[in-house]
Amino acid sequence: MKNKLFGIIGKIKLILVFLIVFIIASCVSEYFLKFNNMVNLFDQVSAYGIAACGMIFVVIAGEFDISVGSVMCLASTTAVTLLNKTNNWLLAVGVLLVLGVVIGCLYGVLILKLNISSFIATLAGSIFYRGLAYLITKDGKPIIPESDMYGALATTRFLKIPAAVYVFFAALLLVGFVLKLTRFGRNIYATGSNGEAAKFTGINIYFYKTAAFVICAWFSILAGIMYSSRANSANASVAADAALTAMSGIVLGGASTSGGKGTVWEMFLGIMILGLLTNSFNLMGIDSYIQQVIKGALLIIFISIERYTYNKRVSMN
Amino acid sequence: MGKTDIKKKTNIFSRIYRDYPMLYVLIALMIIGCILSPSFFSKVNIMNIFRQNAVTGIVALGVLFVVLGGTLDMSVGSIMSVTGLLALMLQEHIGVAGAMIAAIAVGALIGTVNGLIISGINGYSGESFMVTFGMTTLLQGVALILTNGNMLLESKSKFYNFLGDGNVFKIVPFSIVLFFIFAIIVGVVLAKTKKGREIYYMGANPIAARLSGLNIKRLRVLVYVISGVMAAIAAILLTGRIHGMTPTAGKEMEFDAVTALAVGGIGVSGGEGTVIHCIIGVMIMGVIGNIMKIIGISSQNQLIIKGVVLVLAVVVDNIKKKKA
């Protein structure tokens, strides 16, 4: 009973915070409620948001992945280079799918078979994959896609809303469905909340955690494509704060860093709250460096609160 | 009959292999370096390796305390940026010595905050990683604010320049001498003092340590303060070496320091490792960097190799642990 109460209070708290931030934002700037700004808000949030949709699998399974930004860069540079050379979209999609599987399985082996902790492994991965992206760009210069269709991927507007936003919402729906309504999703939760117990019920932890990393890689790749499509250039040096932002949104949304908890809709609220803050900071003209300080502070605060309440809950039980 | 058997097995070479296996890796790398370039073992090149890696080494000494205690500090790079910038910017106001003291004090302060937060949430490796990850973003923003985005702040102090770039005995860089002095102090503290043993205990078995009455909170703050102070000192040396400071100077330092420790054979889970492992790890990273420069690998491609090296080091360490 008590756990359910915590869950409901948690959800209400989140919606409350969202509304408060929303109201403050609309008071602070007259441009906030304008349609263009709202659309911009969702557009800005969508790139890292898509990555977060994949990352939440890893977090629920009880691990970390901070290589999200680097995979985004690797994906975009690979895709644009391939398309520029061969103009074969099917090939590009195929290569990206395989890339996601390779990245995810590599993490699976490192973390589960060789027992490396997930943040060391993904830290090394973040350096390694970004290095690969630099290698592909040959001297760090951004690659411009030759086909006009690439830039249109994320920016074509339907009903005045860019395609990237639709992709983001589709990702949210898909991930929400899988996590809540499929056995696969339930097993991911089981793996994260108590790995040992899950093993005894016949769940193959290795498979599920590896699958989580593969899914995370796939969504990071998709996010990378959206990001580079919007900018119409593939860069090896961008998205350095992707992991930080996605993680902040996920933790703010109530997912536990020890795994087994968290839903997509709470994550969505968390991401939106952060997006609202960024949006209003931009409207208020706050320096981007100051924004960086605030973002770092927020992650520390969210993690601290989450851990503190987790410890309290554990000691109460 | 049994006694003589055991005596045979513990000759000095196998003892080195048991305790410091990476020393053999270091020697192998140095041999590779000699093969690749005849001037590898020249005084100039060796001193260059020392000069390039003294800064990383000092940072690694600080992070060593944190890792031995069982947690991680991913914020040392940006602590370097902030304290280094402060040390430069305050020179005109409170003098060179005053600026250095202020910078070190700020490093200690940041370390205190890190330690308080992490001990407050009962954090171990995962939580400390995220908290210091957030801290590094925060401090990086502070560093950028301090310089207003300008990339380089010039250093006019001759004293700083000596610290970072100067030589004693004409060719030995002062910075590496400082590193070895610190290393000796760290070695003595870890091996011979009560606090040192307490840190090992906390890293090896935090629950037992707490139950046996150790003040984990205070120890945790202590290790992060040491890490912050060493980062500040390293920043001052770096300022001297590059004759200035940029807000992003420390960007890869946290990765380099953790990799050096892992390569040297210090487990990230804490409770194991000595300062000798740290020195070996730093030297290995230095030699690898030097070899990559000799081959002509660009600094961006070196990133790829560094990532692989980190993974290999941790894998080897884990395999060794499994065998034991």
Side-chain angles (χ1 to χ4, degrees):
Chain A
M1 257 315 271
K2 267 207 169 134
N3 273 331
K4 256 209 160 163
L5 197 62
F6 273 125
I8 297 179
I9 290 184
K11 276 209 179 76
I12 296 182
K13 254 196 283 187
L14 206 56
I15 300 181
L16 219 62
V17 171
F18 177 79
L19 287 174
I20 293 178
V21 174
F22 193 88
I23 293 176
I24 296 182
S26 35
C27 295
V28 152
S29 166
E30 48 170 348
Y31 295 111
F32 180 71
L33 287 170
K34 299 242 156 117
F35 182 74
N36 274 337
N37 185 48
M38 285 283 122
V39 170
N40 251 346
L41 170 65
F42 281 98
D43 197 25
Q44 285 297 323
V45 157
S46 60
Y48 292 168
I50 294 174
C53 287
M55 204 171 158
I56 197 173
F57 278 89
V58 171
V59 174
I60 293 178
E63 305 286 351
F64 289 105
D65 186 353
I66 64 162
S67 62
V68 168
S70 307
V71 172
M72 281 174 68
C73 291
L74 181 60
S76 63
T77 49
T78 312
V80 174
T81 310
L82 265 180
L83 285 174
N84 283 353
K85 286 226 165 95
T86 66
N87 210 24
N88 187 339
W89 288 73
L90 216 56
L91 176 68
V93 169
V95 166
L96 290 178
L97 283 175
V98 171
L99 182 66
V101 173
V102 167
I103 293 178
C105 288
L106 203 56
Y107 282 144
V109 166
L110 285 176
I111 295 171
L112 292 154
K113 289 281 154 105
L114 296 175
N115 256 318
I116 303 181
S117 56
S118 60
F119 34 89
I120 296 279
T122 55
L123 176 66
S126 72
I127 306 270
F128 181 71
Y129 293 125
R130 199 174 284 278
L132 281 183
Y134 270 114
L135 209 62
I136 298 180
T137 64
K138 279 193 190 120
D139 49 356
K141 279 203 291 228
I143 315 178
I144 313 286
E146 283 162 23
S147 148
D148 283 336
M149 258 182 72
Y150 193 82
L153 278 178
T155 55
T156 324
R157 297 196 175 225
F158 302 101
L159 303 173
K160 285 205 185 163
I161 299 178
V165 178
Y166 290 102
V167 174
F168 177 41
F169 276 98
L172 285 172
L173 285 168
L174 178 65
V175 171
F177 173 76
V178 169
L179 281 177
K180 208 163 198 187
L181 298 172
T182 65
R183 174 182 275 183
F184 179 82
R186 273 193 295 273
N187 286 342
I188 296 260
Y189 278 104
T191 311
S193 63
N194 194 336
E196 290 304 316
K199 256 193 247 177
F200 285 127
T201 57
I203 295 179
N204 185 345
I205 299 199
Y206 177 59
F207 168 74
Y208 282 100
K209 286 199 175 178
T210 306
F213 278 109
V214 169
I215 293 175
C216 183
W218 276 340
F219 277 95
S220 309
I221 290 174
L222 179 61
I225 303 295
M226 290 288 116
Y227 191 99
S228 55
S229 162
R230 200 193 313 143
N232 206 29
S233 84
N235 225 309
S237 59
V238 295
D241 56 343
L244 177 82
T245 312
M247 192 70 193
S248 300
I250 292 177
V251 172
L252 177 58
S256 172
T257 45
S258 26
K261 248 190 93 213
T263 69
V264 168
W265 296 109
E266 292 169 336
M267 174 191 85
F268 172 67
L269 283 176
I271 294 177
M272 287 310 298
I273 293 176
L274 287 176
L276 281 176
L277 286 174
T278 310
N279 187 269
S280 18
F281 289 158
N282 283 335
L283 287 176
M284 292 196 276
I286 294 188
D287 202 31
S288 65
Y289 301 144
I290 299 185
Q291 287 192 35
Q292 185 170 341
V293 172
I294 296 178
K295 284 193 185 145
L298 284 178
L299 179 63
I300 296 178
I301 294 173
F302 296 157
I303 297 263
S304 304
I305 294 179
E306 190 266 313
R307 284 283 98 189
Y308 186 70
T309 53
Y310 174 84
N311 290 335
K312 267 244 160 104
R313 213 178 308 147
V314 165
S315 61
M316 264 164 53
N317 286 338
Chain B
M1 204 167 62
K3 268 197 176 159
T4 43
D5 274 343
I6 296 176
K7 259 199 167 160
K8 270 190 196 160
K9 285 194 176 154
T10 55
N11 66 55
I12 183 151
F13 287 116
S14 61
R15 225 184 310 155
I16 291 184
Y17 178 68
R18 190 191 60 200
D19 291 332
Y20 306 112
M22 297 315 272
L23 189 58
Y24 289 128
V25 173
L26 177 62
I27 296 176
L29 282 171
M30 293 206 275
I31 296 177
I32 295 179
C34 284
I35 298 177
L36 285 173
S37 160
S39 60
F40 182 79
F41 251 114
S42 66
K43 276 196 211 139
V44 171
N45 196 37
I46 295 285
M47 291 305 151
N48 253 343
I49 298 181
F50 281 159
R51 199 190 308 268
Q52 297 285 342
N53 290 282
V55 170
T56 314
I58 292 185
V59 174
L61 285 175
V63 178
L64 175 66
F65 279 90
V66 175
V67 172
L68 287 179
T71 60
L72 286 168
D73 190 348
M74 302 303 297
S75 61
V76 282
S78 49
I79 296 182
M80 276 182 72
S81 303
V82 170
T83 53
L85 286 170
L86 281 175
L88 263 190
M89 292 163 62
L90 294 173
Q91 261 176 29
E92 306 158 349
H93 304 278
I94 53 179
V96 171
M100 277 172 37
I101 296 178
I104 294 178
V106 169
L109 181 66
I110 298 174
T112 311
V113 172
N114 274 338
L116 284 176
I117 295 177
I118 292 175
S119 64
I121 61 175
N122 266 349
Y124 299 115
S125 12
E127 298 80 5
S128 68
F129 184 82
M130 290 262 91
V131 168
T132 52
F133 188 57
M135 184 61 88
T136 208
T137 309
L138 193 163
L139 291 174
Q140 185 69 73
V142 170
L144 286 165
I145 294 177
L146 282 177
T147 60
N148 226 343
N150 290 328
M151 273 301 128
L152 187 63
L153 221 58
E154 301 277 335
S155 163
K156 304 179 192 97
S157 159
K158 288 215 186 105
F159 182 59
Y160 272 30
N161 294 347
F162 168 72
L163 285 182
D165 218 10
N167 297 338
V168 291
F169 311 128
K170 281 210 186 137
I171 45 164
V172 180
F174 174 74
S175 47
I176 198 72
V177 171
L178 197 62
F179 168 66
F180 278 113
I181 294 178
F182 277 134
I184 294 176
I185 297 177
V186 167
V188 167
V189 165
L190 283 176
K192 302 284 181 195
T193 68
K194 185 160 164 242
K195 268 287 183 276
R197 263 172 286 140
E198 286 179 357
I199 294 177
Y200 276 109
Y201 199 17
M202 175 172 73
N205 195 337
I207 301 176
R210 189 195 306 270
L211 287 176
S212 72
L214 281 186
N215 191 337
I216 299 282
K217 207 169 230 173
R218 213 179 284 170
L219 274 180
R220 195 67 81 193
V221 171
L222 179 65
V223 293
Y224 279 100
V225 165
I226 295 177
S227 175
V229 165
M230 295 305 256
I233 296 176
I236 295 173
L237 287 180
L238 184 63
T239 310
R241 207 185 81 207
I242 62 178
H243 297 283
M245 186 48 107
T246 79
T248 51
K251 218 172 199 174
E252 276 162 37
M253 198 53 82
E254 37 244 1
F255 182 75
D256 284 347
V258 172
T259 308
L261 290 177
V263 163
I266 298 185
V268 184
S269 43
E272 266 187 270
T274 68
V275 80
I276 307 225
H277 289 110
C278 177
I279 297 177
I280 295 179
V282 173
M283 289 291 124
I284 290 182
M285 295 305 288
V287 170
I288 291 181
N290 192 262
I291 291 181
M292 290 200 287
K293 224 193 299 179
I294 294 178
I295 305 183
I297 300 184
S298 76
S299 55
Q300 282 157 355
N301 293 342
Q302 288 186 20
L303 286 182
I304 305 182
I305 303 202
K306 279 188 184 171
V308 175
V309 169
L310 174 60
V311 171
L312 283 179
V314 184
V315 169
V316 168
D317 186 61
N318 278 331
I319 292 182
K320 253 186 63 216
K321 278 208 188 103
K322 268 191 185 164
K323 278 200 181 150

